[in-house]
């Protein structure tokens, strides 16, 4: 076949499938953007509110009809304009006094590319994009399945966000993933006509979010009428850091058939040609590279850079080598972690456009004369009882193992004999261990916590000695333990044990959660355990 014949054959094929042309059609109330793609995508955007009111994928309406797809709970009123750039990008710009939201459709594919510029936190106190997809069309959630499907609930466990469905506790919060791992999440259906709508978040999608690499937030929730697909840029859901403003994203909402998009398949570098407020292309960015040393190879290692405007992170290779994502110019602070436990901090790290800054980091965790240690210093409750379940269900769920009555005997018990959380009036824990006469001097009991709620903190009793009642930890906004979060400030408590308190033979330590606030079952004061160590 000649080139002309091939062209002819291709155009005949396209005509046969009645391909709509790429472009924007304008009415007094809306812009209708057609992607001109073979798997057709057409979205309708209100010219008064910026709400997406229709998502037609392959001719099928996926948008829930009683509410729109939008930022927060809708902008209400916005100035909405449309332009076509380079004949291939339809750019819809929505402006309010404090926010500019960009919705971009590229000729020939089935994705909605977005970026959101803010100068102030929205009044509702969080910044999110929510696509309300008709749950009858796309009922399933990826990757965690129905843990966050609250449709058909028979009762409420807590607040207005934890429910019981078929005897299991469910919440939109149980769809969360650590930001460092949250690349692609979707709502979908399988079967003979599969369709997926996914949120795809390549670096630097989270650069203006807050909370660091281990923050997690709501990703999906089939609540019955609509299946919500979110990109939470910031919120007070176990908030550890002030909100950042500026340009959030770009991020993509993709539409596909049976294939979940790979993170690397979405490249939004073309935003550099779209005149986006505060957008910095790769060429205007720099990186930090080096090695994180002296961390036990058993741990996953992460380096995290941040300042008031932006945040970035990278896993290191197993030998500790790292290269940051492409960062905006600026001066950064740094934290390095084994797991999620801070092992080094730094400041004054300068990032320059087009250059690589070298940074060598050594873990500052020194050797101690450890008598015993329970759990790893990894900033996570991993291994402790119910830690494998707490991310995806409520502590009252019948699938949880009992929280109380546990004794850990050093040398014979397993980590499952330690509850991942201590909750005022719900549980207490006992540690039994044997010492010889050389070990009865002064010692330190170190109790690592990852998250506290309602002023919960540990108080220990060592044989007949009652340890001090520590001051209340810094308050973190909103619930966490009951909503699948375990990461807060990671406070570590040291109990100084006077000489002759420990005895040769059997010793007993009990640990309780104390707080001036009243107990309220699992919703009362609590803290989550990282590790417990006795050293001299
Ligand atoms: C949908 O299909 C995918 C791919 O075959 C599969 O991995 C997934 O488990 C299916 N989901 C359900 C709920 O069956």
């Amino acid at each position: 076949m000649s080139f002309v014949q091939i062209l002819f054959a291709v155009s005949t094929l396209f005509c046969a499938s009645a391909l709509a042309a790429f472009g924007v059609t304008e009415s007094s109330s809306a812009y209708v953007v057609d992607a001109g793609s073979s798997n057709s995508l057409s979205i309708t955007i209100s010219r008064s509110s910026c709400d997406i009111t229709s998502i037609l994928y392959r001719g099928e309406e996926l948008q829930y009809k009683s509410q729109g797809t939008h930022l927060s709970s809708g902008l209400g009123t916005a100035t909405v304009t449309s332009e076509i750039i380079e004949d291939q990008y339809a750019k819809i710009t929505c402006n309010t006094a404090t926010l500019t939201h960009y919705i971009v459709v590229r000729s020939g594919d089935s994705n909605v590319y977005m970026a959101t510029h803010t100068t102030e936190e929205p009044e509702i106190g969080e910044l999110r994009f929510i696509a309300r997809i008709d749950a009858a069309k796309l009922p399933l959630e990826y990757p965690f399945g129905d843990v966050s499907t609250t449709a058909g609930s028979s009762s409420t466990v807590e607040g207005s966000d934890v429910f019981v469905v078929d005897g299991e506790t469910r919440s939109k919060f149980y769809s969360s993933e650590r930001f460092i791992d949250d690349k692609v999440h979707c709502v979908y259906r399988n079967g003979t006509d599969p369709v997926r709508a996914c949120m795809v978040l390549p670096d630097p999608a989270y650069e203006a979010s807050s909370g660091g690499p281990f923050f997690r937030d709501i990703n999906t929730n089939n609540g019955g009428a609509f299946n919500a697909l979110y990109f939470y840029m910031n919120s007070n859901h176990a908030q550890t850091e002030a909100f950042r403003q500026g340009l959030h994203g770009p991020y993509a909402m993709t539409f596909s058939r049976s294939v979940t998009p790979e993170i690397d398949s979405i490249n939004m570098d073309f935003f550099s040609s779209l005149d986006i407020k505060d957008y910095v292309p790769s060429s205007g960015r720099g990186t930090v590279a080096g090695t994180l040393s002296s961390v036990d190879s058993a741990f996953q290692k992460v380096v995290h850079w941040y300042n008031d405007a932006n945040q970035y992170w990278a896993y290191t290779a197993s030998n500790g080598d790292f290269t940051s994502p492409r960062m905006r110019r600026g001066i950064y602070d740094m934290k390095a972690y084994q797991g999620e436990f801070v092992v080094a901090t730094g400041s004054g790290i300068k990032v320059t456009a087009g250059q690589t800054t070298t940074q060598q980091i050594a873990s500052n965790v020194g050797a101690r004369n450890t008598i015993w240690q329970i759990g790893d210093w990894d900033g996570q409750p991993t291994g402790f009882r119910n830690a494998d379940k707490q991310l995806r269900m409520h502590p009252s769920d019948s699938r949880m193992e009992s929280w109380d009555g546990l004794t850990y005997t050093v040398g014979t018990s397993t980590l499952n004999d330690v509850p991942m959380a201590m909750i005022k009036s719900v549980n207490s824990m006992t540690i039994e261990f044997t010492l010889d006469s050389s070990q009865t001097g002064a010692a330190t009991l170190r109790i690592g916590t990852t998250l506290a709620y309602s002023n919960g903190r540990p108080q220990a009793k060592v044989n007949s000695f009652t340890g001090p009642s520590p001051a209340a930890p810094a308050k973190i906004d909103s619930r966490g333990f009951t909503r699948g979060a375990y990461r807060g400030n990671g406070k570590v408590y040291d109990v100084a044990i006077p000489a002759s308190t420990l005895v040769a033979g059997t010793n007993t330590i009990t640990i309780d959660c104390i707080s001036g606030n009243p107990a309220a079952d699992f919703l009362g004061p609590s803290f989550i355990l990282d590790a417990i160590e006795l050293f001299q």
Side-chain angles (χ1 to χ4, degrees), residues 293-446:
S293 57
S294 312
V295 177
D296 189 304
S297 62
F299 292 108
Q300 206 169 41
K301 296 178 274 292
V302 171
V303 187
H304 165 206
W305 301 269
Y306 59 99
N307 58 26
D308 287 349
N310 292 107
Q311 58 170 4
Y312 306 90
W313 42 75
Y315 282 113
T316 78
S318 52
N319 69 356
D321 288 355
F322 61 82
T323 301
S324 75
R326 293 185 161 275
M327 296 161 61
R328 289 171 184 251
R329 279 175 300 191
I331 308 288
Y332 290 88
D333 290 336
M334 181 280 299
K335 284 183 184 163
Y337 308 88
Q338 59 183 34
E340 300 183 4
F341 187 79
V342 178
V343 294
T345 58
S347 60
I349 298 134
K350 187 174 181 191
V351 171
T352 310
Q355 293 191 18
T356 299
T357 303
T358 302
Q359 191 186 13
Q360 303 305 344
I361 309 169
S363 163
N364 61 19
V365 175
R368 289 185 290 269
N369 183 12
T370 300
I371 298 173
W372 48 253
Q373 180 181 322
I374 307 171
D376 288 323
W377 289 105
D378 59 358
Q380 297 176 307
T382 311
F384 293 141
R385 177 172 293 197
N386 292 326
D388 57 334
K389 305 185 179 73
Q390 179 261 351
L391 283 172
R392 311 283 167 218
M393 65 182 83
H394 192 268
S396 68
D397 194 291
S398 60
R399 292 167 292 175
M400 288 276 183
E401 290 185 71
S402 65
W403 288 92
D404 195 20
L406 295 175
T407 296
Y408 182 95
T409 304
V410 174
T412 58
S413 286
T414 66
L415 290 187
N416 194 50
D417 292 332
V418 177
M420 64 150 315
M422 304 294 305
I423 310 116
K424 184 176 177 180
S425 302
V426 168
N427 65 350
S428 139
M429 70 165 295
T430 303
I431 303 168
E432 286 188 351
F433 54 101
T434 305
L435 298 179
D436 61 42
S437 55
S438 71
Q439 296 172 305
T440 57
T444 301
L445 176 68
R446 180 163 287 181

Side-chain angles (χ1 to χ4, degrees), residues 53-73:
T53 57
S54 169
I55 301 171
L56 283 172
Y57 178 60
R58 294 168 49 84
E60 179 184 14
E61 181 62 79
L62 299 179
Q63 173 62 41
Y64 170 62
K65 282 299 165 184
S66 302
Q67 275 175 291
T69 281
H70 45 217
L71 284 170
S72 299
S73 295

Side-chain angles (χ1 to χ4, degrees), residues 14 19-23 33-42 57 87-90 104-113 255 270:
F14 280 177
L19 193 66
F22 166 74
V33 186
D34 202 301
S37 44
S38 50
N39 279 323
S40 67
L41 178 72
S42 166
Y57 178 60
D87 295 330
Q88 57 168 330
Y89 304 110
V104 177
V105 170
R106 176 165 61 177
S107 172
D109 66 28
S110 308
N111 303 329
V112 178
Y113 303 97
F255 295 89
F270 61 83

Side-chain angles (χ1 to χ4, degrees), residues 140 188-190 196 258:
L140 303 175
Y188 73 104
R189 71 167 176 241
N190 279 345
R196 305 187 157 231
S258 58

Side-chain angles (χ1 to χ4, degrees), residues 147-171:
V147 294
S148 44
T149 299
T150 53
S153 68
S154 53
S155 61
T156 301
V157 180
E158 197 175 292
S160 54
D161 49 39
V162 186
F163 304 97
V164 174
V165 180
D166 295 337
E168 296 182 352
T169 53
R170 304 273 184 86
S171 173

